[in-house]
Amino acid sequence: MSTTIVENNFLKYCGSNFLKQRLLLSVLSGKPVTIVDIRSESDEAFGLREYEINLIRLLDKLTNGTKIDINSAGTAITFMPGLLHGGQLDHECCTQRGIGYYLDALIALGPFCKIPLNVKLSGVTESSDSPSVDHIKVGALTVLKRFLTVDEGLELKIIKRGLPPLGGGIVVFKCPLRKTLRPIQFTQQGMVKRIRGTAYVCKVSPALGNRAIETAKGVMLKFLPDVYIYADANRGKMSGNAPGFGICLHAETTEGVCFMAQANSHIKGEGGGEPSTPEDIGEKAAMRLLDEIYRGGCCDSTYQWLVALFMCLGQKHVSKFMTGPLSSYTVHFLRHLRDFFSITFKLENPEPEDDSLPPGAQKVLLTCVGISYCNISKRVI
C-alpha cells in the first residue's frame, strides 16, 4: 500500500515496500515515521527480514539519539531519527543482501554527517538483488561527485570480494562533508566512447572469468572498438567464503556519463534451474549494458533516485537533469520526496525531433528548485 497518513506529526505507511527509502528520508528530514502491516499477511516469515533489521542497526550507528520501537511480531516499527554523526564505523552486513544495499544509504547520508564517514563493511560484495560494489564505485560515485563539486576524500575501496551465500568480502567507504550541495544543469549525455569492465572469480578457475570476458567482448565489439575488460582472479584469503564468478561492465560517454550492467553466477536450483555458464553471464551483462545505453539519460537507471534526492536537497536554484525512462523505484522515491520534503518535480518529455537528443528510448527531463538543505551537523572551523 502506498497511502500516506499523518498522525501526531508521524508519517504513517503500510507494508514493507520501499522500507529503505522511508527510513533514509526520515533521517535526512528529521521527521519520525511509523510503518505498520509489514508482511503481516505472509504465511511464512512475516515481519521485518534480517537484512532490514541490519539496516536499521546501521542507521542507529550513524546517528545520535535515534529511537526505534519494533513490536514483538516485527510487523510494525516506529522510527524517530536522531542527528547524523558519522565517523569511523565497522559494520557486519547481513548476507541476505549485498553490501550495495547498505552502501546506497551511506552514499546518500555521507555528505551531511558531523564527522567524515570512514566505514568498513563486511559481507557479500557481489549480489544479484543489490548493486555490486563495482557498480556503485563507478555509477553512484560519479553521480555524487557532480553534486559535491570537490571529491577530495571520497573513496570506495574493495579489500576482499565475497560472493553469496556466505560472503566474507570487505569494503571501505570514505565520504567528505558538505555544508550544501550545488544545483546542477545536466541535459547532454554525449556519445558512448569506450567500454570497460571487471570479470571476477572467487575460489574457481580463472578460465571461467576469461570465458565470460570473451563472450561479453564478442557482443560489445560489434558496436564499439574500444572495449577492455579486466580479469580479477581472487585466491585464498582474498576470495571470501564462497565460490563463484561474475562480470560488471560500464560504458562511458564523451560527457562523463556512465551506464552500468552486471551479471553474477548462481548455483544449481537458484535463479531458475541449472548453474550458469561463463558464456551466459558474459552475454547477459553485455545485453543489459546495451539496454542501459538504449535507455540513455545522464545517469545510470539504478541511480536516478540519487540524482532526484541531491537535486531536492540542493540550493534554492533551478536544477535540471535528463534521464532515461523512470524506473518504478524512482517513481516511488519521487512520491516519498513529496511526503518528507513537500517538493514536487516537473517532468517533461523533450521533443523527439530535437537533434541534440541521442537516439534511444523516450527521455525525461527532471526539473525542481532545491530546498537549500543545510548540514546542521557539520563542525564550524
Side-chain angles (χ1 to χ4, degrees), residues 62-188:
L62 276 176
T63 56
N64 278 338
T66 296
K67 296 181 180 179
I68 304 163
D69 183 21
I70 303 175
N71 69 355
S72 57
T75 57
I77 176 174
T78 298
F79 187 85
M80 300 178 65
L83 293 176
L84 273 169
H85 185 265
Q88 189 163 345
L89 302 173
D90 194 338
H91 187 71
E92 178 78 32
C93 300
C94 175
T95 55
Q96 292 178 358
R97 281 290 184 276
I99 287 177
Y101 178 81
Y102 305 92
L103 267 177
D104 281 352
L106 294 179
I107 289 171
L109 298 175
F112 308 106
C113 292
K114 180 178 181 180
I115 302 174
L117 272 184
N118 185 352
V119 184
K120 178 182 176 183
L121 299 174
S122 52
V124 175
T125 58
E126 328 293 333
S127 172
S128 57
D129 49 29
S130 307
S132 70
V133 178
D134 297 278
H135 190 153
I136 292 173
K137 191 172 184 177
V138 178
L141 295 196
T142 299
V143 170
L144 183 55
K145 288 175 185 178
R146 296 193 186 281
F147 290 89
L148 291 183
T149 309
V150 180
D151 60 355
E152 183 180 354
L154 181 63
E155 181 185 7
L156 178 57
K157 188 175 182 181
I158 304 173
I159 307 299
K160 286 173 56 178
R161 291 191 185 272
L163 302 183
L166 302 177
I170 299 174
V171 302
V172 174
F173 175 65
K174 298 179 182 178
C175 185
L177 305 180
R178 286 294 175 271
K179 188 74 174 177
T180 58
L181 299 178
R182 68 171 182 174
I184 193 170
Q185 302 270 340
F186 195 17
T187 59
Q188 299 296 324

Side-chain angles (χ1 to χ4, degrees), residues 143-309:
V143 170
L144 183 55
K145 288 175 185 178
R146 296 193 186 281
F147 290 89
L148 291 183
T149 309
V150 180
D151 60 355
E152 183 180 354
L154 181 63
E155 181 185 7
L156 178 57
K157 188 175 182 181
I158 304 173
I159 307 299
K160 286 173 56 178
R161 291 191 185 272
L163 302 183
L166 302 177
I170 299 174
V171 302
V172 174
F173 175 65
K174 298 179 182 178
C175 185
L177 305 180
R178 286 294 175 271
K179 188 74 174 177
T180 58
L181 299 178
R182 68 171 182 174
I184 193 170
Q185 302 270 340
F186 195 17
T187 59
Q188 299 296 324
Q189 74 175 58
M191 303 299 290
V192 175
K193 64 178 181 179
R194 61 175 169 238
I195 293 172
R196 298 290 183 264
T198 301
Y200 48 84
V201 297
C202 295
K203 296 186 181 299
V204 294
S205 170
L208 297 179
N210 294 332
R211 286 163 57 189
I213 290 174
E214 289 304 314
T215 304
K217 285 183 67 175
V219 175
M220 304 312 302
L221 285 172
K222 296 177 182 177
F223 303 93
L224 202 69
D226 191 357
V227 180
Y228 181 78
I229 304 174
Y230 170 71
D232 182 13
N234 298 272
R235 298 183 178 88
K237 294 182 179 179
M238 300 304 295
S239 59
N241 300 328
F245 57 93
I247 189 169
C248 183
L249 304 175
H250 72 269
E252 185 179 341
T253 75
T254 52
E255 297 293 331
V257 176
C258 291
F259 301 113
M260 305 293 302
Q262 66 184 57
N264 305 306
S265 63
H266 61 259
I267 59 178
K268 187 173 182 179
E270 178 187 66
E274 292 301 314
S276 49
T277 65
E279 290 75 18
D280 293 339
I281 295 301
E283 183 178 9
K284 184 184 295 184
M287 297 308 293
R288 286 176 177 174
L289 182 61
L290 291 174
D291 183 57
E292 279 293 328
I293 294 172
Y294 176 79
R295 291 170 65 92
C298 297
C299 73
D300 180 60
S301 65
T302 306
Y303 286 103
Q304 292 171 345
W305 68 271
L306 192 61
V307 169
L309 174 64

Side-chain angles (χ1 to χ4, degrees), residues 1 15-16 36-47 75:
M1 297 174 63
S16 60
V36 298
D37 294 335
I38 301 174
R39 302 184 184 92
S40 57
E41 298 179 0
S42 173
D43 295 331
E44 300 174 4
F46 57 88
T75 57

Side-chain angles (χ1 to χ4, degrees), residues 16-27:
S16 60
N17 289 340
F18 310 108
L19 177 80
K20 183 169 69 171
Q21 288 187 12
R22 294 162 182 170
L23 297 180
L24 181 67
L25 293 176
S26 175
V27 172

Side-chain angles (χ1 to χ4, degrees), residues 325-371:
L326 296 181
S327 65
S328 173
Y329 191 86
T330 305
V331 171
H332 283 88
F333 193 80
L334 293 175
R335 292 172 180 168
H336 284 128
L337 284 176
R338 180 192 58 197
D339 294 342
F340 285 91
F341 291 106
S342 302
I343 186 171
T344 55
F345 283 71
K346 181 182 179 182
L347 306 180
E348 298 176 277
N349 292 124
E351 294 297 328
E353 61 268 16
D354 187 349
D355 294 336
S356 65
L357 293 177
Q362 177 68 64
K363 306 299 185 287
V364 178
L365 181 62
L366 297 174
T367 307
C368 80
V369 177
I371 64 171

